[in-house]
Amino acid sequence: MDAIGKTDMNYSPESLQAFAQAVALGSFSAAARKLGKSQSTVSEAIARLEADLGLELFERGGRQPQLTDAGRSLLVRVEEILAASDRLQHAAARWSEGVESRVSLAMSDAYQSSRYETCLAELEARYPDLEFECLIAEHSDVIELVEQGRADLGLLAAQGRYPPQLGSAAVAERAEFGLFVAQGHPLAQKTDLALGDLAGWRLLRLNTVGDTLAIDDGLPSSGGRCWSAPSYLMLLEMACNGFGWAELPRWLVAGYAPGRLAELDVPGWPRSQAVDALWSRRRPLGPVASWLLERLLGRQAAFQGGF
């Protein structure tokens, strides 16, 4: 095929999704189950993509297909195309007729922004008859709620990678986390602390219900002396009661426990954390959810003129 033919070629979304899912899940059969397709359909879709590209994306000699060097390199480009497709769907939804009656947002306590309050005020004024639901969740629980369709959008502390069926974008604001203990806790009286010095004291750690992500928060092990909870607000209450030390969003401490907790002075803390917005590529967002997503991302100008 000549260069012009390759330039004009269109790659089917099904082939790109099959490739991304196979990479993420490690096998064609797992990708087929996730996509609700037969394994032969997924294999054929990937084979068509390889034929269109003129490249082998997987080495199929072993028990499980392994990415070739070309496959590893082109995976980034495939993800970029899928992301561009998401943006096109969102733009089309904003201009299409029909507005959904209900929107659900799953959000982490890590996210706190004056933009959110402004968005809700605008949402109420723009769509007064809308049923809006806010779910508080963290890490993998946010991901599962969006994957299952329980939430249209999610906001969470940024993860390294997401399942390929989810789209993501960074919001403008970052979260600030610190290490906190009750004012009367022995650690509150110590100075010149290093992170390793906390290992001898009970850690209050976030542990989501879904627990599908291997979260490496860099906190020292407490030798099994660890209590956990699925929300930062519950960890805050544990810390206020003197049960141990915890990593907490600083805004949450300032808003819900002023004067009750001491922030530990440890090198490298407080730390700044990026926050991502999530949506499902398998269920295109409606006009209201698309509008809310863009506003949370700080893209107000895109909506001048309305729908």
Side-chain angles (χ1 to χ4, degrees), residues 1 18 34 45 103 112 122 128 134 159 165 179 181 211 220 227 255 265 267:
M1 183 176 293
K34 174 64 74 172
V103 169
Q112 192 273 339
E122 294 177 359
C134 183
Q159 310 298 313
Q165 67 269 22
L179 303 179
V181 294
D211 200 22
W227 289 10
D265 185 11

Side-chain angles (χ1 to χ4, degrees), residues 267-283:
W269 294 80
R271 68 178 181 87
S272 177
Q273 170 68 58
V275 177
D276 283 346
L278 296 183
W279 60 90
S280 173
R281 289 172 170 151
R282 302 179 71 177
R283 293 177 300 277

Side-chain angles (χ1 to χ4, degrees), residues 27-280:
S27 73
F28 292 178
S29 59
R33 288 192 295 273
K34 174 64 74 172
L35 294 171
K37 308 286 186 181
S38 67
Q39 182 172 341
S40 61
T41 299
V42 168
S43 297
E44 290 169 5
I46 293 174
R48 285 196 302 272
L49 180 60
E50 290 178 315
D52 288 341
L53 294 170
L55 295 167
E56 288 190 357
L57 302 175
F58 289 100
E59 296 175 355
R60 295 173 172 81
R63 184 173 181 181
Q64 297 291 350
Q66 301 294 321
L67 277 176
T68 62
D69 290 342
R72 276 187 290 273
S73 175
L74 293 179
L75 175 61
V76 176
R77 303 303 182 194
V78 168
E79 291 174 337
E80 289 174 351
I81 294 172
L82 291 173
S85 177
D86 289 342
R87 291 193 293 271
L88 176 61
Q89 287 184 344
H90 298 166
R94 290 196 298 270
W95 292 99
S96 66
E97 293 183 358
V99 172
E100 60 267 46
S101 62
R102 183 177 184 274
V103 169
S104 181
L105 170 68
M107 63 183 295
S108 163
D109 278 330
Y111 178 77
Q112 192 273 339
S113 167
S114 59
R115 184 190 306 277
Y116 178 65
E117 286 76 16
T118 300
C119 285
L120 291 189
E122 294 177 359
L123 185 70
E124 195 278 334
R126 191 179 182 100
Y127 305 104
D129 297 324
L130 175 76
E131 180 184 349
F132 177 72
E133 178 186 33
C134 183
L135 304 168
I136 300 300
E138 303 294 342
H139 294 314
S140 61
D141 291 347
V142 176
I143 292 174
E144 289 195 10
L145 288 168
V146 175
E147 275 193 300
Q148 296 167 2
R150 180 64 181 83
D152 300 292
L153 298 170
L155 289 169
L156 76 167
Q159 310 298 313
R161 294 185 71 86
Y162 299 103
Q165 67 269 22
L166 296 184
S168 66
V171 304
E173 298 83 5
R174 296 178 66 89
E176 292 289 329
F177 282 82
L179 303 179
F180 294 89
V181 294
Q183 289 286 358
H185 193 283
L187 280 174
Q189 316 308 318
K190 295 182 178 294
T191 58
D192 299 325
L193 283 170
L195 193 59
D197 296 333
L198 307 183
W201 303 89
R202 181 183 293 118
L203 167 62
L204 308 176
R205 185 189 294 274
L206 189 72
N207 183 23
T208 60
V209 175
D211 200 22
T212 59
L213 293 179
I215 302 169
D216 181 12
D217 52 20
L219 300 178
S221 170
S222 295
R225 299 179 61 209
C226 175
W227 289 10
S228 62
S231 76
Y232 285 115
L233 193 58
M234 295 177 71
L235 291 182
L236 179 145
E237 188 62 28
M238 289 181 181
C240 287
N241 287 323
F243 296 138
W245 61 275
E247 175 191 17
L248 296 170
R250 298 178 86 197
W251 81 267
L252 197 69
V253 174
Y256 289 88
R260 299 180 65 190
L261 294 177
E263 184 168 3
L264 300 178
D265 185 11
V266 175
W269 294 80
R271 68 178 181 87
S272 177
Q273 170 68 58
V275 177
D276 283 346
L278 296 183
W279 60 90
S280 173

